[in-house]
Amino acid sequence: MTPIQKKVCLVGAVSVGKTSLVNRYVHSLFSEKYLVTIGVKIDAKTLRVGDVGLRLLLWDLAGDDDFQRLNASYLRGSAGYVLVADGSRGHTLDAALDIQSRVASAVGPIPFVLALNKSDLRDQWDVDGRALAELAARGWLIRHTSAKLGTGVQEVFEDLARLLLAPASTPPGPP
Protein backbone atom coordinates (compact mmCIF):
# COMPACT_ATOMS: atom_id res chain seq x y z
CA MET A 1 0.00 0.00 0.00
CA THR A 2 1.29 3.43 -0.94
CA PRO A 3 1.76 5.67 2.08
CA ILE A 4 -0.28 8.82 2.50
CA GLN A 5 1.90 11.86 1.81
CA LYS A 6 1.70 15.02 3.94
CA LYS A 7 3.68 18.25 3.79
CA VAL A 8 4.96 19.41 7.18
CA CYS A 9 6.87 22.66 7.75
CA LEU A 10 9.36 23.40 10.52
CA VAL A 11 9.13 27.03 11.57
CA GLY A 12 10.73 29.13 14.27
CA ALA A 13 13.25 31.85 14.97
CA VAL A 14 16.83 31.73 13.71
CA SER A 15 19.08 29.14 15.36
CA VAL A 16 16.46 27.30 17.42
CA GLY A 17 17.43 23.91 15.95
CA LYS A 18 14.94 23.28 13.15
CA THR A 19 17.54 21.77 10.81
CA SER A 20 19.11 19.80 13.65
CA LEU A 21 15.73 18.30 14.56
CA VAL A 22 15.14 17.23 10.95
CA ASN A 23 18.66 15.80 10.62
CA ARG A 24 18.27 13.87 13.87
CA TYR A 25 14.85 12.54 12.86
CA VAL A 26 15.55 11.66 9.22
CA HIS A 27 19.25 10.75 9.27
CA SER A 28 19.93 10.06 13.00
CA LEU A 29 22.69 12.68 12.82
CA PHE A 30 23.67 15.75 14.81
CA SER A 31 26.37 18.28 13.98
CA GLU A 32 27.73 21.04 16.21
CA LYS A 33 28.36 23.14 13.08
CA TYR A 34 25.78 25.84 12.55
CA LEU A 35 24.68 26.30 8.97
CA VAL A 36 22.06 28.91 8.16
CA THR A 37 19.15 27.59 6.12
CA ILE A 38 18.54 29.78 3.09
CA GLY A 39 14.98 29.50 1.82
CA VAL A 40 13.89 25.92 2.37
CA LYS A 41 15.48 22.48 2.66
CA ILE A 42 13.24 19.47 2.00
CA ASP A 43 13.65 15.97 3.45
CA ALA A 44 11.25 13.04 3.67
CA LYS A 45 10.61 10.19 6.07
CA THR A 46 8.04 7.43 6.04
CA LEU A 47 6.57 6.12 9.27
CA ARG A 48 3.67 3.99 10.40
CA VAL A 49 0.83 5.22 12.54
CA GLY A 50 -1.13 2.15 13.51
CA ASP A 51 -1.73 0.36 10.23
CA VAL A 52 -1.33 3.49 8.09
CA GLY A 53 1.84 4.38 6.22
CA LEU A 54 2.59 8.10 6.25
CA ARG A 55 5.29 9.85 4.25
CA LEU A 56 6.18 13.20 5.77
CA LEU A 57 7.65 15.78 3.40
CA LEU A 58 9.59 17.92 5.87
CA TRP A 59 10.08 21.52 4.76
CA ASP A 60 12.78 23.08 6.94
CA LEU A 61 12.13 26.80 6.49
CA ALA A 62 14.70 29.53 7.04
CA GLY A 63 14.61 31.07 10.50
CA ASP A 64 12.41 34.07 11.11
CA ASP A 65 14.05 37.23 12.47
CA ASP A 66 14.18 40.99 11.97
CA PHE A 67 16.06 40.57 8.69
CA GLN A 68 14.16 37.69 7.13
CA ARG A 69 10.45 37.04 7.61
CA LEU A 70 8.74 33.72 7.17
CA ASN A 71 7.89 33.24 3.49
CA ALA A 72 4.17 32.40 3.58
CA SER A 73 4.30 30.91 0.07
CA TYR A 74 6.36 28.00 1.48
CA LEU A 75 3.46 27.18 3.80
CA ARG A 76 0.95 26.53 1.01
CA GLY A 77 -0.25 22.94 0.98
CA SER A 78 0.99 22.20 4.49
CA ALA A 79 -1.00 19.65 6.45
CA GLY A 80 0.74 20.58 9.71
CA TYR A 81 3.88 22.06 11.20
CA VAL A 82 6.42 21.85 13.97
CA LEU A 83 6.85 25.17 15.76
CA VAL A 84 10.35 25.25 17.26
CA ALA A 85 11.66 27.39 20.12
CA ASP A 86 14.97 27.25 22.00
CA GLY A 87 14.47 26.67 25.72
CA SER A 88 17.77 28.41 26.51
CA ARG A 89 16.61 31.61 24.77
CA GLY A 90 13.23 32.62 26.16
CA HIS A 91 12.64 35.28 23.51
CA THR A 92 12.37 32.51 20.88
CA LEU A 93 9.16 31.35 22.57
CA ASP A 94 7.76 34.86 22.12
CA ALA A 95 8.86 34.70 18.47
CA ALA A 96 7.17 31.29 18.15
CA LEU A 97 3.88 32.74 19.39
CA ASP A 98 4.08 35.44 16.73
CA ILE A 99 5.04 32.91 14.04
CA GLN A 100 2.19 30.60 15.03
CA SER A 101 -0.25 33.47 14.61
CA ARG A 102 1.14 34.29 11.16
CA VAL A 103 1.08 30.64 10.07
CA ALA A 104 -2.55 30.31 11.19
CA SER A 105 -3.41 33.46 9.22
CA ALA A 106 -1.69 32.09 6.12
CA VAL A 107 -2.97 28.50 6.12
CA GLY A 108 -5.73 28.32 8.70
CA PRO A 109 -6.01 26.11 11.76
CA ILE A 110 -3.87 23.10 10.87
CA PRO A 111 -2.28 20.72 13.41
CA PHE A 112 1.03 21.63 14.99
CA VAL A 113 3.35 20.65 17.82
CA LEU A 114 5.57 23.06 19.76
CA ALA A 115 9.07 21.60 20.12
CA LEU A 116 10.89 23.32 22.96
CA ASN A 117 14.38 22.38 21.84
CA LYS A 118 17.77 22.15 23.55
CA SER A 119 16.58 20.26 26.62
CA ASP A 120 20.18 19.09 27.02
CA LEU A 121 20.83 22.66 28.23
CA ARG A 122 18.00 22.48 30.80
CA ASP A 123 20.13 24.17 33.48
CA GLN A 124 20.37 27.20 31.14
CA TRP A 125 16.69 27.34 30.22
CA ASP A 126 15.12 30.75 30.13
CA VAL A 127 11.43 30.05 29.46
CA ASP A 128 8.47 31.08 31.55
CA GLY A 129 6.83 27.96 32.96
CA ARG A 130 3.55 29.85 33.40
CA ALA A 131 3.52 30.76 29.71
CA LEU A 132 4.01 27.10 28.81
CA ALA A 133 1.23 26.07 31.20
CA GLU A 134 -1.10 28.64 29.59
CA LEU A 135 -0.29 27.31 26.12
CA ALA A 136 -0.92 23.73 27.28
CA ALA A 137 -4.24 24.86 28.80
CA ARG A 138 -5.15 26.31 25.37
CA GLY A 139 -4.63 22.85 23.89
CA TRP A 140 -1.10 23.25 22.55
CA LEU A 141 0.88 20.03 22.38
CA ILE A 142 4.32 20.86 23.79
CA ARG A 143 7.30 18.52 23.69
CA HIS A 144 10.76 19.06 25.14
CA THR A 145 13.43 17.98 22.69
CA SER A 146 17.17 17.76 22.27
CA ALA A 147 18.37 17.35 18.70
CA LYS A 148 21.85 16.84 20.14
CA LEU A 149 20.86 13.85 22.30
CA GLY A 150 17.85 12.76 20.26
CA THR A 151 15.54 13.17 23.25
CA GLY A 152 11.89 13.66 22.29
CA VAL A 153 12.63 14.13 18.58
CA GLN A 154 10.85 11.05 17.27
CA GLU A 155 7.92 11.73 19.59
CA VAL A 156 7.38 15.22 18.12
CA PHE A 157 6.98 13.83 14.61
CA GLU A 158 4.91 10.83 15.77
CA ASP A 159 2.60 13.14 17.74
CA LEU A 160 2.16 15.36 14.70
CA ALA A 161 1.60 12.33 12.46
CA ARG A 162 -1.23 11.15 14.74
CA LEU A 163 -2.77 14.64 14.63
CA LEU A 164 -2.52 14.66 10.82
CA LEU A 165 -4.38 11.35 10.58
CA ALA A 166 -6.98 12.08 13.24
CA PRO A 167 -10.49 12.59 11.91
CA ALA A 168 -11.42 16.25 11.71
CA SER A 169 -13.19 17.27 14.86
CA THR A 170 -16.54 18.93 14.64
CA PRO A 171 -16.94 22.22 16.46
CA PRO A 172 -18.98 22.04 19.64
CA GLY A 173 -22.54 23.14 19.22
CA PRO A 174 -25.98 22.65 20.68
CA PRO A 175 -27.04 19.02 21.20
Side-chain angles (χ1 to χ4, degrees):
M1 179 188 282
T2 304
I4 298 169
Q5 189 164 279
K6 300 280 186 178
K7 176 181 174 180
V8 169
C9 292
L10 278 88
V11 296
V14 171
S15 175
V16 293
K18 298 176 296 296
T19 300
S20 294
L21 287 170
V22 171
N23 284 337
R24 172 61 77 177
Y25 181 61
V26 174
H27 307 290
S28 299
L29 297 173
F30 177 80
S31 173
E32 294 281 351
K33 293 181 182 175
Y34 177 70
L35 298 172
V36 175
T37 301
I38 307 295
V40 63
K41 180 180 177 291
I42 303 171
D43 277 292
K45 180 151 180 170
T46 302
L47 67 151
R48 294 205 71 70
V49 178
D51 59 353
V52 177
L54 180 62
R55 180 175 169 81
L56 298 178
L57 295 178
L58 302 168
W59 286 49
D60 174 12
L61 304 185
D64 185 274
D65 64 15
D66 292 338
F67 302 104
Q68 180 170 316
R69 296 316 252 170
L70 179 66
N71 186 338
S73 67
Y74 289 142
L75 298 169
R76 277 192 216 114
S78 296
Y81 59 102
V82 177
L83 181 63
V84 185
D86 175 349
S88 67
R89 296 184 299 140
H91 69 276
T92 66
L93 181 58
D94 296 332
L97 296 173
D98 176 59
I99 292 167
Q100 189 279 329
S101 175
R102 287 188 279 135
V103 171
S105 291
V107 296
I110 59 175
F112 71 97
V113 175
L114 171 62
L116 195 53
N117 199 29
K118 303 187 184 179
S119 64
D120 53 293
L121 302 174
R122 194 67 172 248
D123 58 331
Q124 299 171 32
W125 271 30
D126 180 34
V127 289
D128 182 356
R130 288 177 303 213
L132 292 176
E134 287 174 18
L135 293 174
R138 286 176 29 198
W140 284 36
L141 184 54
I142 304 167
R143 294 289 180 242
H144 296 182
T145 61
S146 169
K148 183 175 187 175
L149 303 177
T151 310
V153 175
Q154 183 150 339
E155 291 82 357
V156 164
F157 292 98
E158 289 174 351
D159 286 343
L160 184 57
R162 280 190 287 279
L163 291 172
L164 294 174
L165 294 175
S169 60
T170 55

